[in-house]
């Protein structure tokens, strides 16, 4: 009798077909993103961020916690690598995002398969191409979500092997093979320890991409309870270091949010009652968007905190009642429904509003917040639907396959899944087009403006101050400063009393229009002063106010403004550059050269500072040094 060959991955065309199918769905649904550009914070994270343009920036990226709006060194390192590959061409970044989404979907499918979910592939496919994921895949900055999820799923996969939870088909490709001496030595090693260390490494990398992954230890214990009905001490002890690492890096994130990103001040002083009401409403916003994903906006209207109360207490009450009821009935319903809802609640908890974060300036909710959390709702709906269809076999007879003696899926299941995926894929294709610079059908024109992503927001949220600001700036940049000024003034009026943190940004932008397009330096200086009155630490406003004073010939005020700014930010390159330029204009070339040298020491690749230093040295008669 011939020996049965081992079942390996390559010997399973069905697995290969399903893998290629998932990847193909992702690339097909998100393909309009290849025509998309950079939006919003993509510019500050990538385009104008000097630390991701040079290899020397790695030291700063990993060694300084306020590199950007967050301490996510893995993300900035990824941006640096991509910048070295294709510079500032958006296509490369978007292709990487789409590829990461495809890999994440495949990893999720394999995890769900190991956990025994019958509809694992459909769940992964819906997760992959649901329209609410377009914001994460289409916004380059949100590669932090995708990278964190990549290592999150890798950590879960390694953890399942460490704890021996579940088993996927074909897990042991060495079955049926006679081990060699090398394999015998390898098998003497502690395989479980290796899996644990690998899972820990992946978890740390997930945290370094985005610290929302700090909820993973709780999720792993939840999965263990789901599969076994109890927790083992070794599993609890194994995640203790993970909890410690998660708390440590989450603390860093909170610190950066409050001290660098600006998540502090009166606009973030919510009472615990208000935070509970905000969290309750947020909890129900996301499943509704999953069920009815239209319209999907970059910024949603912000809940009016002053009007929270009364009947809106139903949101947090229901959010507590539903999981409590599922837990109480878990013997009848099974542990799965409670685990799905608990996974959603645990994973979404960092962004519910109990801890202040900078994005709350604009809205309390965002599609990319539920990138991972939505898996709970999707799994609950798909698995629940699968079981309902299985229970209704009297109406829909199963088609039995003779291959390997296993029954095929009911025809109604295949048809329903296909219809759902086609609908979701179509919506995702359409929503991806909103990010495209060539998108037309959903554009909402204001005057002569054609700015897809923000015009789409204004179509459904006409009083969005951020969208008005972006469109106003776009108008000015394209030769229509009058209409741009109208939009910015309208946005400034809307922010009065509602969005105090946005007012200084708008005031500074209005100052830019007066300075750059109308050459009215007195009016520009007035708006810059208003911006600095609301936000004294706005670096670019300090530098531009100085320029206005220079044009007005008010040199004492210009130098006083710079001195105050350097007192707050002694290492600011932009302020040192403004001071050096002012000194050069005044004719103090010796002092200007000293300032330019300070800048070059901090940023050896700063071309503007190098050029200005060369010009200044030439003015001092030091031509060889200038050359």
């Amino acid at each position: 009798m011939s020996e049965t060959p081992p079942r390996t991955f390559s010997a399973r065309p069905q697995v290969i077909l399903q893998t290629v199918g998932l990847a193909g769905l992702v690339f097909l649904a998100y393909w309009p993103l290849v025509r998309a550009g950079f939006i919003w914070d993509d510019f500050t994270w990538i385009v104008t961020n000097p630390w991701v343009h040079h290899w020397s920036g790695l030291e700063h990226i990993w060694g300084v916690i306020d590199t950007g709006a967050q301490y996510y060194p893995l993300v900035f390192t990824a941006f640096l690598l991509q910048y070295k590959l294709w510079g500032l061409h958006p296509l490369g970044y978007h292709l990487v995002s789409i590829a990461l989404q495809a890999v994440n979907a495949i990893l999720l499918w394999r995890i769900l398969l190991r956990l025994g979910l019958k509809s694992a592939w459909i769940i992964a496919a819906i997760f992959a191409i649901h329209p609410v994921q377009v914001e994460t895949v289409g916004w380059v900055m949100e590669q932090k979500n995708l990278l964190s999820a990549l290592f999150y799923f890798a950590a879960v996969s390694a953890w399942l092997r460490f704890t021996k939870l579940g088993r996927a088909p074909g897990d042991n490709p060495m079955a049926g093979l006679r081990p060699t001496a090398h394999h015998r030595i390898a098998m003497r090693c502690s395989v479980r320890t290796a899996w644990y260390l690998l899972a820990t490494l992946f978890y740390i990398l997930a945290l370094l991409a985005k610290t929302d992954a700090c909820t993973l230890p709780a999720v792993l214990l939840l999965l263990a309870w789901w599969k076994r009905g109890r927790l083992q001490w070794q599993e609890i002890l194994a995640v203790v270091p993970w909890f410690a690492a998660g708390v440590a890096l989450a603390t860093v994130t909170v610190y950066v949010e409050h001290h660098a990103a600006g998540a502090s001040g009166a606009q973030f002083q919510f009472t615990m009652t208000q935070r509970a009401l905000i969290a309750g409403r947020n909890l129900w916003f996301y499943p509704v968007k999953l069920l009815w994903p239209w319209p999907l906006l970059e910024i949603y209207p912000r809940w009016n905190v002053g009007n929270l109360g009364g009947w809106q207490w139903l949101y947090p009450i229901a959010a507590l009642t539903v999981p409590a009821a599922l837990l109480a009935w878990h013997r009848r319903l099974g542990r799965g429904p409670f685990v799905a809802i608990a996974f959603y609640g645990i994973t979404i908890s960092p962004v519910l509003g109990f801890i202040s974060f900078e994005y709350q300036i604009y809205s309390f909710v965002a599609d990319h917040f539920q990138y991972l959390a939505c898996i709970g709702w999707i799994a609950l709906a798909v698995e629940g639907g699968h079981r309902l269809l299985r229970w209704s076999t009297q109406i829909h007879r199963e088609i039995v396959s003779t291959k390997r003696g296993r029954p095929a899926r009911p025809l109604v299941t295949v048809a329903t899944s296909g219809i759902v995926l086609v609908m979701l894929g179509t919506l995702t294709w359409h929503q991806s087009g909103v990010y495209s610079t060539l998108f037309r059908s959903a554009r909402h024109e204001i005057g002569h403006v054609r700015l897809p992503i923000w015009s789409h927001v204004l179509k459904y949220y006409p009083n969005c101050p951020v969208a008005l600001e972006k469109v106003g700036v776009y108008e000015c940049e394209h030769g229509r400063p009058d209409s741009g000024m109208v939009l910015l003034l309208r946005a400034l009026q809307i922010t009065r009393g509602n969005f105090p943190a946005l007012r200084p940004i708008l005031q500074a932008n209005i100052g830019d229009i007066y300075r750059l397009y109308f050459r009215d330096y007195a009016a520009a200086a007035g708006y810059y002063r208003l911006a600095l009155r609301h936000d004294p630490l706005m670096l670019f406003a300090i530098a531009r106010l100085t320029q206005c004073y220079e044009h007005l010939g008010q040199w004492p005020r210009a130098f006083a403004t710079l001195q105050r700014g350097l007192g707050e930010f002694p290492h600011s390159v932009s302020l040192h550059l403004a001071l050096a330029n002012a000194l050069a204009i005044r004719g103090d070339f010796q002092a200007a050269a000293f300032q330019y040298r300070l800048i070059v020491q901090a940023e050896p690749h700063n071309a503007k500072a190098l050029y200005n230093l060369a010009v200044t040295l030439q003015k001092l008669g030091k031509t060889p040094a200038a050359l």
Side-chain angles (χ1 to χ4, degrees), residues 215-246:
T215 59
L216 179 55
V219 168
L220 295 176
L221 294 180
L222 186 68
L223 293 177
W225 176 79
W226 172 37
K227 300 304 293 183
R228 296 198 184 105
R230 57 186 175 82
L231 295 177
Q232 298 178 355
W233 277 109
Q234 61 178 356
E235 295 171 348
I236 297 174
L237 293 175
V239 297
V240 169
W242 290 32
F243 274 113

Side-chain angles (χ1 to χ4, degrees), residues 411-548:
L411 183 60
V412 66
T413 302
V414 176
T416 303
S417 301
I419 292 171
V420 169
L421 292 180
V422 168
M423 291 175 60
L424 293 177
T426 303
L427 289 172
T428 296
W429 172 281
H430 186 274
Q431 185 66 20
S432 297
V434 175
Y435 290 76
S436 172
T437 55
L438 302 178
F439 187 68
R440 287 182 171 81
S441 62
R443 282 175 173 169
H444 179 62
E445 296 190 15
I446 299 180
H448 301 284
V449 174
R450 288 186 176 273
L451 194 63
I453 182 66
W454 298 114
S455 299
H456 178 76
V457 173
L458 289 175
K459 182 177 181 179
Y460 299 97
Y461 181 14
N463 290 327
C464 177
V466 175
L468 288 170
E469 180 231 346
K470 300 299 181 185
V471 174
V473 171
Y474 180 90
E475 283 278 73
C476 295
E477 291 175 346
H478 288 75
R480 297 178 290 274
D482 292 320
S483 59
M485 178 66 80
V486 170
L487 294 173
L488 286 169
L489 290 173
R490 176 181 162 192
L492 186 63
Q493 180 66 28
I494 292 170
T495 60
R496 191 182 304 276
N498 295 321
F499 301 89
L502 292 179
R503 290 184 65 78
I505 298 173
L506 289 166
Q507 289 162 341
N509 282 335
I510 294 173
D512 286 344
I513 295 177
Y514 275 117
R515 179 175 62 90
L516 295 173
Y517 299 100
F518 299 135
R519 305 297 179 184
D520 189 341
Y521 298 106
Y527 275 99
Y528 288 136
R529 284 194 296 267
L530 285 173
L532 290 171
R533 186 180 303 168
H534 290 97
D535 185 0
L537 304 182
M538 187 177 287
L539 273 173
F540 71 90
I542 295 172
R544 292 168 189 175
L545 177 59
T546 301
Q547 294 175 20
C548 291

Side-chain angles (χ1 to χ4, degrees), residues 347-362:
T347 309
I348 202 74
S349 60
V351 291
L352 287 179
F354 291 110
I355 299 173
S356 297
F357 50 93
E358 184 260 349
Y359 191 84
Q360 289 178 316
I361 294 173
Y362 315 105

Side-chain angles (χ1 to χ4, degrees), residues 253-264 268 355-357:
T253 297
V254 172
Y255 173 83
V256 176
E257 281 280 359
H258 285 73
H259 294 84
S264 59
F268 294 96
I355 299 173
S356 297
F357 50 93

Side-chain angles (χ1 to χ4, degrees), residues 127-370:
F127 163 81
I129 65 170
H130 197 288
V132 299
Q133 310 291 37
V134 174
E135 184 173 279
T136 292
V137 183
W139 190 359
V140 176
M141 188 193 76
E142 283 306 317
Q143 277 189 18
K144 63 178 184 282
N145 246 1
L146 297 165
L147 281 170
S148 181
L150 173 70
F151 293 110
Y152 183 103
F153 291 141
V156 173
S157 183
W159 177 270
L160 294 179
R161 287 165 172 80
F162 162 67
T163 57
K164 298 182 180 179
L165 278 177
R167 184 173 180 83
D171 266 351
N172 186 14
M174 300 303 298
L177 291 180
R178 180 176 297 175
T180 63
H182 175 74
H183 292 139
R184 285 197 297 271
I185 293 173
M187 282 187 278
R188 292 194 189 102
C189 300
S190 176
V191 177
R192 292 192 68 198
T193 301
W195 280 121
Y196 174 73
L197 293 177
L198 189 62
T200 303
L201 173 63
F202 287 144
Y203 172 62
I204 297 298
L205 291 174
L207 289 173
L208 292 174
K210 190 174 183 180
T211 48
D212 285 0
C214 65
T215 59
L216 179 55
V219 168
L220 295 176
L221 294 180
L222 186 68
L223 293 177
W225 176 79
W226 172 37
K227 300 304 293 183
R228 296 198 184 105
R230 57 186 175 82
L231 295 177
Q232 298 178 355
W233 277 109
Q234 61 178 356
E235 295 171 348
I236 297 174
L237 293 175
V239 297
V240 169
W242 290 32
F243 274 113
V247 169
L249 284 172
T251 302
V252 171
T253 297
V254 172
Y255 173 83
V256 176
E257 281 280 359
H258 285 73
H259 294 84
S264 59
Q267 64 269 29
F268 294 96
Q269 300 301 316
F270 306 119
T271 66
M272 285 307 299
T273 298
Q274 289 174 326
R275 290 185 185 275
L277 289 168
I278 291 170
R281 189 162 180 177
N282 291 354
L283 275 168
W284 290 107
F285 171 86
Y286 297 112
V288 170
K289 275 297 172 186
L290 283 173
L291 185 63
W292 188 258
W294 190 265
L296 298 174
L297 306 179
E298 194 75 17
I299 298 179
Y300 291 100
R302 192 171 183 261
W303 317 140
N304 189 341
V305 180
N307 292 334
L308 291 178
W311 65 269
Q312 297 191 52
W313 275 104
L314 293 175
Y315 287 115
I317 292 173
L320 294 174
T321 302
V322 170
L326 291 175
L327 181 61
W329 296 337
H330 78 274
R331 296 186 184 278
R332 177 176 299 180
L333 300 175
R335 292 187 290 271
F338 169 77
V339 169
I341 298 302
F343 170 84
Y344 165 72
I346 292 171
T347 309
I348 202 74
S349 60
V351 291
L352 287 179
F354 291 110
I355 299 173
S356 297
F357 50 93
E358 184 260 349
Y359 191 84
Q360 289 178 316
I361 294 173
Y362 315 105
S363 178
F364 293 124
V365 292
D367 290 336
H368 66 274
F369 288 168
Q370 67 163 327

Side-chain angles (χ1 to χ4, degrees), residues 18-31:
Q18 289 174 309
T19 302
V20 173
L22 271 179
L25 275 176
V26 171
F27 274 89
L28 181 62
Y30 294 101
W31 192 248

